[in-house]
Amino acid sequence: MVSYEEYMQIRILHKQGKSLRAIACELGCSVNTVRKYLADDAAPAFK
């Protein structure tokens, strides 16, 4: 699970037009993680 700051960074970079692979490389996570958090509209919440 990524932190709220990383979640917002994914959103910001995506709005800037960066590709999924570029976002994943910059943040040090997988492309599937980036895809998952872009598909979900809600911010990550701890249980």
Side-chain angles (χ1 to χ4, degrees):
M1 175 178 266
V2 298
S3 67
Y4 183 74
E5 289 81 15
E6 290 172 325
Y7 169 76
M8 290 308 296
Q9 191 69 20
I10 289 171
R11 290 281 183 186
I12 291 168
L13 291 172
H14 182 67
K15 282 192 182 262
Q16 290 176 353
K18 298 244 183 177
S19 68
L20 298 179
R21 182 172 286 186
I23 296 170
C25 190
E26 188 170 326
L27 297 178
C29 59
S30 71
V31 176
N32 287 338
T33 302
V34 173
R35 186 177 290 121
K36 178 176 94 170
Y37 286 109
L38 286 175
D40 192 16
D41 289 336
F46 294 104
K47 295 181 180 178

